[in-house]
Amino acid sequence: MSVFRSKFFQAVLILVVVFLLFRFGIRPAAPWSVFTLYMFVALIAVLVYVSSNGDSWRSFVAPIRATVLDDSKRPIRLVLMVLLPLLFGYYAYTQAAARIEAPAELRAIHPAPPASISFRGKTLDVQGLENPLRKDAPNLKKYVAEGAVIYIKNCMYCHGDNLDGNGHFAHVFNPPPANFTDPGTIAMLQEAFLFWRIAKGGPGLPKESTPWNSVMPAWEDRLSEEDIWKVIMYLYDATGYQPRRWESHAAVPSPLTLTLSPRGEREMRGSSPPAAEGEKFAFSSPPQGEKSVPSSLPQGERTQVRGSGASLVSAAWAQPAGDPAKGKAIYEQKCLLCHGEKGDGNGPAAPLLDPRPRDFTKGKYKIRTSASGRLPTDADLFRIIAEGMPGTSMPGWKVLPEKDRRDLVAYLKTFAGDAFKEAPKVSDLPKEVASSKESLARGKEMFEAIECNKCHGNAGRGDGPSMPELKDDWGNPVRPANLTKSWTFRGGASAREVAARLVTGLMGTPMPSFIDSVEKPEDVWHVANYVKSLGPEKMDFATILPVRAVQGEIPDDPAAKFWEGQPPHHFPLAGQVIADPRNFNPSVDMVTVRAVYSESEIAFHVTWDDPTPSKPDPKAKTFADQVALQFATRPGEGNERPYVLAGDGSNPVTLLRWSSEGGVGEASATGIAKITPRTGEAVKAKGKAVFADGQYRLVIKRPRGGADPNDLAFPVGRFLSVAFMAWDGGAGEGGAKMSFSSWYYLRLEEPGSNKPYIIPPLVVLVTAALELLVIRGARRRTHGG
Amino acid sequence: MRQWLSVLCCLALAAAVLGGTSQVGAQGGGSIVGEVKFSGTPPAPKVVKVNKDNQACGDEKKSEELVVGANKGIKNAVVSVVGAKGPAPKPAQKPLLDQKGCQFQPHVLLLPAGAEVDIQNPDGVLHNIHTFSTANPSINKAQPKFKKVMTEKFEKPEIIKVQCDAHSWMLGWVVVQAHPHYAVTDEGGAFKLDNVPAGKHKVEVWHETLGKMTQEVEVKAGAPAKVTFELAKK
């Protein structure tokens, strides 16, 4: 009993509870610095509490004194004497060996707009500027509808179908694209502010908003004044928000009373729902939905109505069927722009998408649990609507209430005529086989026997010999999956889902069903396990590129063992969509970079997947394969950088690049269309690339510079900037048609830092010495006094 | 007169039903013989370069999309009597769709509705049977090298395109018959439809690249009716 009354115990208990609360109770997790600050405050508070009076203090100190002095506590004392120094030593080690992190950047999210802007030669006063289309009351609906088409053809890739800043390019960029459904964005802004942001984009931001980091293009060259106003109207209409106005009384009604708020947690693409036993696939977490109320409510005060949220876990399909009439209304708001009014996959956005949106009229669906040639079950359709299709522009629609998704399922089926009258024939998944050494060996054997490599390539990178000729049932070219990137698997990344794809095939594509054509049914599990082993479980993208110091010569050969020993850093790429020709479906979606430096040189080892090594060929419409590393030619003050797409007029960039045609070269650029190759002695980079099994590896080296102030320099310990670009010439990428990354920091690590090996032992020694001093001092006082 | 006609029709129908066993001209049935010819100058046959599995598939494949013989006869056209009734006769042997040498053989396979067909892969490489149908389930099944024979069944009458995605040049057709009166033209474009009930019929020809055409034919018991189709490039 006395233990609980002990102030010492209470203090420890309070600290533990506070620790757990701060560490695990706050979502998203608080940064470490904030966390330590909170813990420090809690510690002070506890100390104040225990020292509030003499008795309390004595009660607090008693156990400590006893441990230090009592002979009976000798074992505990000895254990603590050893444990505490080790603990501190370990902490010191984690600190000394900590990986460098990108420096924090502060940016103004909603900077003050300029008084006026020049738009296509015309001066527009931003202050007091109003949306002229709002005055044309009879046509509001039409403008919103046109705005939606403009949005889906230009903005959706980053800002998402749901307007939640979660389009399929969004993960590539930092800062992330704006989430319009967040009450902190368009709901608190005037339309004139939006006009300015859309027209002038990232490059038009003031310095405090770090314009060099935003990839938001300036849309003034591509969209007309009216287009921009239309898309602004769509943004407000689709989110149900109202723009801020100068006069607060005149509330103009939004043309359509809306809607379903597309707010929601970002769905982790590549994550997969847990599946129940047997062939029936269960759904992930109970669906939740949020509904926005009509937009007449004050801004930012939208009530949230929770969806029914009934648990679906493995309840199969006992749920009542949806209502197709209601589904139609939702379809027209959420699906029509891609899938088309008739459900034939021919919406206004369709020509820009690859893979193209599903044509529902044929009843052919890729991701099913039903046998080859058979229609999907309702549960299959529901699953795809909820989860979306990773690696495509189809997002998950968990933002819609579960009931709405059911109604959509019912409506989709009506597009295929009478086809769905037949009950779907569900295909059985053989009994699960866990991954093991034996299973992987069998999987590899079967992978080769059933010739997965024909399309997917020997290493699974989607580079098989049949790859260039593959077409879907609609005659569109279709790329075989890159099996090393399971987070892009359309039907989910788990071994169960891969096995299900092997069993059922992907209808409408060249991927056949294998259940009748493996030696034993369980072979589909072995192959699935093997496929899973071809690539990493998930992809952790880097935030910074550390460059390691090495001694001596850096190997030129990209295949040299040396490079395998260097830590890889992965950087995502997105398509370039502002300059013509636009690239909505980039072929290269990431690069992996290893970087080292020596006394005189810096070297980058770049790895990227490309199904074919290609050369320029006007007949085949192919170009050279290329990759480029981009650096600011003049590193600016602080973190200033040129605009990420090859710089801008006053801020040039230097490109270190490689092309399958000309090898390694350098170029200066002041914009995507203003790239000037360097020639002769100005080119200091050299390097070499190798290609194997659908993958390029490149080493590109350059002197670290420093002598010439106009040349690139790579000094140790400074945060420099780097960005990446790639072109798959075989996929018709060349010139502006390419993929690119955000800016990243690059830092040359201090050479051979031995801090992690010196500081921790010192800490251990000092702690142990202090302990001895404290104990000896305390004992001397007690015994002496 | 009318009664006579209906009796005749009944007899013709009976003849059609018994078609499998009865002989030409028996029971008031006749035959239709003829040719399908190409109108105009036939294009040079397409040749596809084989870029994979050369050991099994050879180095090049002649496209069978349009095969025109010496006297402009079109091979692999399907001729049928429109609206004929009755089940197609059970084939004496189980129909076979062979993929030997990475090529569907026959290029056009006649198959009674509901009959099973063996799909054979003697090539020692992966093929996949990818059908494009609307009435029947549209299947896509892998046939790896060790799976020598697969059996499929097509229940509903339809002309079905079959391809192999692993070898993009591989193309074949399965014609699921609605009734007995179907024929495929030979090298010279000739065909023969047996046991057609006497009377006026619409005869249709279908070719995969040249489309369809119909003609009226009068069939008389015991005498072969002659018909010639001329198909042109669309």
Side-chain angles (χ1 to χ4, degrees):
Chain A
M1 217 43 228
S2 67
V3 170
F4 290 98
R5 273 206 215 115
S6 152
K7 287 285 172 200
F8 180 76
F9 180 78
Q10 286 177 4
V12 170
L13 191 69
I14 291 170
L15 285 178
V16 167
V17 168
V18 168
F19 175 86
L20 292 176
L21 205 67
F22 286 156
R23 184 72 186 81
F24 302 106
I26 304 174
R27 281 283 164 263
W32 190 247
S33 55
V34 175
F35 178 65
T36 44
L37 185 71
Y38 286 178
M39 283 311 296
F40 183 69
V41 171
L43 184 69
I44 299 285
V46 166
L47 285 178
V48 168
Y49 164 67
V50 296
S51 62
S52 56
N53 62 55
D55 285 346
S56 161
W57 180 247
R58 270 188 292 282
S59 159
F60 174 70
V61 176
I64 304 173
R65 278 183 71 90
T67 314
V68 174
L69 297 174
D70 286 6
D71 286 337
S72 64
K73 297 272 165 59
R74 200 183 149 84
I76 300 183
R77 192 156 63 227
L78 282 176
V79 169
L80 281 178
M81 285 277 292
V82 177
L83 267 185
L84 275 180
L86 287 181
L87 211 65
F88 280 108
Y90 174 72
Y91 178 72
Y93 174 77
T94 59
Q95 291 302 300
R99 284 166 48 199
I100 48 162
E101 282 174 24
E105 287 179 10
L106 297 175
R107 61 189 290 270
I109 308 258
H110 301 314
S116 66
I117 54 170
S118 131
F119 185 87
R120 297 191 176 190
K122 177 169 142 186
T123 303
L124 294 174
D125 289 322
V126 176
Q127 311 283 337
L129 184 64
E130 295 214 357
N131 188 340
L133 303 182
R134 297 235 181 242
K135 297 193 183 94
D136 185 7
N139 287 319
L140 291 183
K141 261 191 173 169
K142 191 186 110 201
Y143 293 141
V144 168
E146 288 168 5
V149 174
I150 296 166
Y151 180 88
I152 211 87
K153 286 185 169 178
N154 296 287
C155 321
M156 180 266 281
Y157 308 92
C158 295
H159 295 282
D161 302 60
N162 291 325
L163 293 89
D164 55 359
N166 204 3
H168 55 293
F169 289 169
H171 68 284
V172 175
F173 300 123
N174 181 24
N179 171 358
F180 302 124
T181 65
D182 183 328
T185 62
I186 59 171
M188 50 184 281
L189 297 167
Q190 293 178 2
E191 289 188 294
F193 185 96
L194 269 67
F195 187 92
W196 166 54
R197 295 281 64 261
I198 295 169
K200 297 295 174 186
L205 282 166
K207 214 171 156 184
E208 64 271 22
S209 289
T210 66
W212 45 87
N213 284 337
S214 168
V215 297
M216 173 74 176
W219 289 96
E220 57 187 334
D221 298 331
R222 187 164 284 283
L223 299 180
S224 72
E225 193 178 340
E226 200 175 87
D227 285 346
I228 296 180
W229 288 123
K230 280 177 190 166
V231 82
I232 291 172
M233 287 181 73
Y234 170 71
L235 292 185
Y236 283 106
D237 191 87
T239 54
Y241 291 129
Q242 286 281 298
R244 275 220 173 147
R245 284 166 203 289
W246 288 103
E247 324 90 295
S248 54
H249 57 273
V252 180
S254 189
L256 302 173
T257 45
L258 279 192
T259 51
L260 300 155
S261 157
R263 185 137 32 122
E265 276 281 345
R266 178 179 185 143
E267 271 138 38
M268 280 308 295
R269 298 195 163 189
S271 71
S272 43
E277 286 301 305
E279 79 284 7
K280 291 215 174 62
F281 289 72
F283 313 110
S284 56
S285 61
Q288 296 179 344
E290 291 180 350
K291 251 185 188 165
S292 85
V293 289
S295 39
S296 53
L297 276 180
Q299 303 141 14
E301 281 194 23
R302 302 186 311 154
T303 326
Q304 293 173 4
V305 184
R306 285 266 160 212
S308 58
S311 171
L312 269 178
V313 179
S314 80
W317 202 253
Q319 305 289 336
D323 176 351
K326 285 185 185 150
K328 182 170 192 279
I330 303 157
Y331 179 90
E332 280 166 4
Q333 271 176 8
K334 299 291 178 194
C335 320
L336 181 145
L337 287 170
C338 293
H339 294 284
E341 204 178 339
K342 296 177 194 130
D344 55 2
N346 263 328
L352 307 179
L353 302 176
D354 177 19
R356 284 176 72 101
R358 185 99 318 225
D359 167 5
F360 302 126
T361 62
K362 303 279 186 295
K364 278 184 185 171
Y365 288 85
K366 291 201 269 195
I367 309 303
R368 311 170 328 280
T369 54
S370 54
S372 181
R374 301 299 171 147
L375 290 156
T377 64
D378 284 9
D380 292 338
L381 295 175
F382 185 90
R383 184 199 167 283
I384 286 298
I385 294 174
E387 302 292 329
M389 295 186 89
T392 78
S393 48
M394 170 71 185
W397 289 96
K398 281 190 188 144
V399 288
L400 293 176
E402 186 209 330
K403 164 95 177 46
D404 287 5
R405 284 180 262 149
R406 267 175 211 295
D407 292 342
L408 276 174
V409 169
Y411 183 57
L412 292 192
K413 288 160 68 180
T414 65
F415 284 123
D418 291 339
F420 276 93
K421 284 212 170 120
E422 242 177 86
K425 189 178 145 200
V426 171
S427 216
D428 288 339
L429 197 57
K431 197 171 170 300
E432 178 162 1
V433 182
S435 188
S436 64
K437 216 175 138 203
E438 293 74 39
S439 172
L440 292 181
R442 174 69 181 161
K444 184 172 194 294
E445 190 189 334
M446 276 324 272
F447 185 93
E448 284 158 8
I450 63 178
E451 292 178 72
C452 302
N453 67 323
K454 258 277 147 66
C455 299
H456 296 285
N458 294 331
R461 296 201 184 95
D463 61 318
S466 296
M467 181 277 297
E469 298 144 30
L470 298 181
K471 293 216 165 78
D472 67 12
D473 283 10
W474 290 261
N476 302 311
V478 50
R479 282 180 271 194
N482 183 332
L483 301 180
T484 65
K485 295 178 177 173
S486 65
W487 54 94
T488 65
F489 290 179
R490 311 295 190 243
S494 70
R496 170 172 292 273
E497 285 158 319
V498 176
R501 300 293 82 77
L502 282 161
V503 168
T504 65
L506 270 70
M507 284 288 298
T509 79
M511 171 71 185
S513 154
F514 278 91
I515 191 62
D516 294 337
S517 37
V518 279
E519 282 176 356
K520 292 176 210 140
E522 64 264 31
D523 284 334
V524 297
W525 278 101
H526 297 309
V527 175
N529 289 334
Y530 177 67
V531 164
K532 289 286 291 172
S533 76
L534 292 173
E537 190 64 30
K538 61 183 173 69
M539 182 43 62
D540 290 319
F541 289 116
T543 53
I544 185 167
L545 177 60
V547 187
R548 276 193 169 181
V550 293
Q551 298 292 327
E553 191 70 9
I554 302 168
D556 292 313
D557 179 11
K561 263 267 182 281
F562 168 85
W563 292 108
E564 282 167 35
Q566 304 303 323
H569 304 277
H570 311 287
F571 299 95
L573 307 184
Q576 182 289 116
V577 298
I578 187 65
D580 286 317
R582 305 165 89 187
N583 194 12
F584 295 102
N585 314 297
S587 174
V588 185
D589 61 358
M590 58 177 278
V591 292
T592 299
V593 185
R594 295 165 166 90
V596 295
Y597 73 94
S598 66
E599 195 64 33
S600 57
E601 282 184 315
I602 185 163
F604 300 92
H605 180 275
V606 189
T607 308
W608 73 101
D609 290 0
D610 180 327
T612 46
S614 35
K615 290 263 181 310
D617 180 355
K619 232 168 106 192
K621 287 185 184 156
T622 61
F623 300 91
D625 294 322
Q626 290 183 69
V627 74
L629 290 91
Q630 172 179 291
F631 304 91
T633 304
R634 297 188 301 261
E637 294 292 310
N639 60 2
E640 279 183 46
R641 300 149 160 174
Y643 183 55
V644 69
L645 273 170
D648 48 70
S650 49
N651 287 299
V653 296
T654 296
L655 302 175
L656 300 191
R657 54 184 193 171
W658 170 89
S659 126
S660 59
E661 195 187 13
V664 167
E666 291 184 20
S668 317
T670 52
I672 191 110
K674 294 174 192 151
I675 300 179
T676 321
R678 290 180 185 163
T679 50
E681 285 193 3
V683 181
K684 292 177 184 156
K686 14 184 224 345
K688 180 182 153 191
V690 293
F691 181 88
D693 282 337
Q695 189 173 63
Y696 273 114
R697 281 174 293 172
L698 163 74
V699 169
I700 193 162
K701 279 182 172 182
R702 198 182 197 277
R704 277 174 54 206
D708 178 358
N710 292 321
D711 190 24
L712 284 184
F714 297 94
V716 174
R718 263 191 70 184
F719 283 104
L720 305 166
S721 299
V722 63
F724 309 94
M725 298 172 177
W727 293 258
D728 173 1
E733 293 181 358
K737 193 167 184 195
M738 53 123 159
S739 46
F740 72 107
S741 77
S742 269
W743 278 117
Y744 289 89
Y745 280 110
L746 161 93
R747 190 173 176 274
L748 279 62
E749 291 177 342
E750 282 77 5
S753 169
N754 47 12
K755 276 197 307 197
Y757 312 103
I758 291 184
I759 294 176
L762 273 179
V763 169
V764 171
L765 284 179
V766 170
T767 321
L770 278 176
E771 274 180 341
L772 279 176
L773 277 179
V774 167
I775 291 170
R776 283 181 76 179
R779 300 198 122 207
R780 195 174 299 157
R781 242 185 296 150
T782 321
H783 295 297
Chain B
M1 183 64 194
R2 217 176 237 172
Q3 277 172 341
W4 272 113
L5 209 68
S6 56
V7 167
L8 212 69
C9 279
C10 280
L11 277 177
L13 207 72
V17 171
L18 299 169
T21 49
S22 59
Q23 290 301 303
V24 183
Q27 319 281 316
S31 63
I32 303 173
V33 292
E35 285 177 306
V36 180
K37 292 199 158 192
F38 191 84
S39 146
T41 318
K46 276 190 218 164
V47 177
V48 185
K49 255 205 132 56
V50 172
N51 54 2
K52 59 184 84 74
D53 295 331
N54 293 67
Q55 274 196 325
C57 309
D59 292 330
E60 55 179 43
K61 285 277 154 212
K62 243 188 207 167
S63 163
E64 291 184 291
E65 272 176 18
L66 176 58
V67 182
V68 182
N71 53 350
K72 291 194 182 178
I74 299 172
K75 192 187 175 187
N76 288 328
V78 178
V79 185
S80 61
V81 177
V82 178
K85 293 270 164 14
K90 270 246 165 67
Q93 276 182 325
K94 197 170 180 187
L96 178 73
L97 183 59
D98 199 356
Q99 296 171 96
K100 191 164 187 263
C102 310
Q103 193 169 3
F104 287 111
Q105 289 168 342
H107 183 66
V108 176
L109 173 72
L110 287 183
L111 192 67
E116 284 191 336
V117 55
D118 277 345
I119 302 170
Q120 201 164 290
N121 177 7
D123 284 343
V125 297
L126 169 78
H127 289 306
N128 67 312
I129 312 300
H130 188 162
T131 67
F132 290 72
S133 41
T134 47
N136 295 285
S138 206
I139 56 160
N140 184 2
K141 293 184 178 177
Q143 189 168 16
K145 54 189 168 195
F146 53 83
K147 187 91 184 170
K148 301 289 181 207
V149 179
M150 283 170 72
T151 303
E152 282 299 327
K153 206 176 187 181
F154 298 92
E155 299 284 358
K156 292 174 187 156
E158 184 183 12
I159 297 178
I160 304 170
K161 183 170 101 174
V162 184
Q163 70 179 37
C164 166
D165 299 287
H167 306 100
S168 55
W169 61 85
M170 284 178 71
L171 174 72
W173 298 87
V174 171
V175 178
V176 187
Q177 293 174 244
H179 55 80
H181 308 296
Y182 280 82
V184 180
T185 55
D186 64 15
E187 311 273 334
F191 67 90
K192 188 176 183 202
L193 287 162
D194 285 336
N195 306 319
V196 182
K200 276 192 176 167
H201 295 282
K202 227 185 214 172
V203 178
E204 182 182 80
V205 62
W206 170 89
H207 184 267
E208 58 187 283
T209 57
L210 305 175
K212 284 182 176 181
M213 187 185 251
T214 51
Q215 276 192 52
E216 291 262 331
V217 179
E218 184 158 10
V219 176
K220 284 177 186 145
K226 263 200 88 100
V227 58
T228 304
F229 289 95
E230 289 226 359
L231 292 176
K233 234 185 155 75
K234 279 186 284 191

